[in-house]
Amino acid sequence: MTLLKKLQWSFGLLLFFFVLPVIAGQLPFNKQASTPITEPEDKQVVYAATNLAEQSALEQTKEETKEETQDQTKVETQDQTQNPSKDPFKVLLLFTHSQESYQPVVKAASGKAAVYDEKTNIFNLKDTISKHFSMNGIQTDVLDVDVMKELKLKGKSFGDSYNFVRPYLEKRLQEQSYDLVIDLHRDSAKKNATTISYNNESYARIAIVIGAEHKNYRWNTAYAESLSAAMNEIVPKISRGVISKSGDNVDGRYNQDLTKEMILIEIGGIDNTGEELNRTIAVIGKAISKSFITGKQQ
């Protein structure tokens, strides 16, 4: 072999090994191997990306809800701290003239007509009053002293009633606080002045008496006027109004100087029946609730 042929042969081999990879890259069975692999669309990845956003939003919502709940709890706790549940509205009842009676009630019980009676009297109304008051959210305590019975036992007169009951009342007010103190009496007036009809029902009228000769006079009067107005809104003219007492031959205090929240109520008169008294007691309970409980919450 000549030198020229050897050179041609060597050049041919070099050309073959140079061109072969190029040719091989164009062949169909090798195209996948030589073409850069494009990652196929992975739907799971897409879904994962969408869920991630939703999950993030969900977690944010949970956090916001948690924060709102915590804030609401803080507000409720703070409100409860600043405005704790109040005790029930508390009323103290006393009966300075404990044996004042109603003739129809005494007659029904014993067959006799009397305006004072040791057994059947205004003092016996305490349970009925407590029941009606309780129905209106009022807690009722009773100064459980039969004043007129005690006066007789100690040889004292009717005129000593207010002075006699005073230390009992004073002691109770030192021991407990009340939103309203009511001294209940029976008026001596006759039926035409102490009875009223409304919606075909008859009621015992009331009058509220305030002693005008002491420092609490204006406070007591304000309570009396508020209750009187509330009663008349329920049953027109059931209250005869607020009567101020001062001067000679009257007490002028009625122990109302012991507390600003004390009033004296004359409920009915000597001719009123038990049914009339019961209806009026119900009205008093509703009026106390309307004037001193519900009205303050609105």
Side-chain angles (χ1 to χ4, degrees):
M1 183 179 289
T2 64
L3 178 62
L4 179 60
K5 287 184 177 181
K6 288 180 178 180
L7 290 172
Q8 289 175 342
W9 175 252
S10 298
F11 178 77
L13 288 172
L14 290 172
L15 182 63
F16 175 81
F17 287 112
F18 178 79
V19 174
L20 179 61
V22 175
I23 295 172
Q26 301 301 317
L27 295 176
F29 57 84
N30 256 347
K31 188 172 183 179
Q32 184 174 3
S34 63
T35 304
I37 298 174
T38 301
E39 187 77 13
E41 183 178 0
D42 189 342
K43 293 183 179 180
Q44 185 62 36
V45 174
V46 174
Y47 287 150
T50 304
N51 286 343
L52 182 62
E54 292 176 353
Q55 182 68 19
S56 177
L58 178 61
E59 291 299 328
Q60 183 177 356
T61 301
K62 287 181 178 178
E63 286 300 319
E64 291 174 352
T65 303
K66 182 178 179 182
E67 290 176 1
E68 290 174 357
T69 303
Q70 290 174 342
D71 290 341
Q72 181 65 27
T73 302
K74 288 179 181 178
V75 170
E76 291 175 353
T77 302
Q78 185 178 20
D79 184 66
Q80 289 174 355
T81 301
Q82 294 177 350
N83 301 291
S85 297
K86 294 183 178 179
D87 292 332
F89 190 89
K90 294 178 67 176
V91 172
L92 175 64
L93 303 177
L94 67 148
F95 302 83
T96 300
H97 294 160
S98 55
Q99 294 184 4
E100 289 178 327
S101 303
Y102 303 89
Q103 289 191 90
V105 180
V106 176
K107 189 171 184 179
S110 62
K112 63 180 180 180
V115 294
Y116 292 96
D117 191 79
E118 294 181 355
K119 295 181 179 180
T120 308
N121 48 52
I122 192 170
F123 191 58
N124 297 148
L125 293 178
K126 60 182 183 295
D127 291 338
T128 300
I129 297 170
S130 297
K131 176 183 175 182
H132 280 292
F133 282 16
S134 178
M135 291 170 61
N136 288 280
I138 303 164
Q139 180 178 315
T140 308
D141 287 350
V142 178
L143 192 65
D144 202 7
V145 182
D146 189 338
V147 178
M148 295 185 68
K149 177 181 178 180
E150 294 298 323
L151 286 174
K152 293 174 184 177
L153 291 173
K154 292 176 172 55
K156 295 183 178 293
S157 67
F158 185 83
D160 294 321
S161 300
Y162 290 102
N163 288 333
F164 181 85
V165 78
R166 186 179 180 88
Y168 292 95
L169 176 59
E170 196 167 19
K171 184 175 184 294
R172 176 63 67 87
L173 294 177
Q174 289 172 352
E175 295 171 345
Q176 298 186 44
S177 60
Y178 292 94
D179 298 293
L180 189 63
V181 180
I182 305 175
D183 188 3
L184 281 152
H185 292 253
R186 182 265 299 141
D187 203 329
S188 59
K190 299 293 288 183
K191 189 175 182 68
N192 61 340
T194 65
T195 311
I196 191 169
S197 293
Y198 179 69
N199 286 344
N200 299 318
E201 299 282 5
S202 58
Y203 295 81
R205 299 183 73 194
I206 66 108
I208 306 178
V209 179
I210 300 297
E213 297 179 351
H214 60 90
K215 62 181 181 180
N216 289 332
Y217 163 68
R218 294 186 182 280
W219 286 94
N220 302 139
T221 302
Y223 275 85
E225 289 178 344
S226 179
L227 181 59
S228 177
M231 289 191 67
N232 283 335
E233 287 180 3
I234 298 169
V235 177
K237 297 183 179 181
I238 191 172
S239 173
R240 296 155 57 195
V242 179
I243 303 169
S244 297
K245 290 290 189 76
S246 62
D248 297 335
N249 301 318
V250 298
D251 186 277
R253 292 188 311 176
Y254 303 108
N255 290 322
Q256 293 165 359
D257 59 309
L258 295 178
T259 177
K260 296 176 181 179
E261 299 83 12
M262 184 170 176
I263 59 177
L264 187 157
I265 296 180
E266 301 267 11
I267 177 169
I270 57 176
D271 296 321
N272 284 111
T273 66
E275 292 79 8
E276 292 166 346
L277 294 168
N278 187 65
R279 295 186 191 109
T280 297
I281 290 168
V283 174
I284 294 173
K286 292 177 183 177
I288 290 174
S289 178
K290 181 177 182 180
S291 184
F292 303 125
I293 304 177
T294 308
K296 287 185 177 181
Q297 294 174 350
Q298 294 177 342

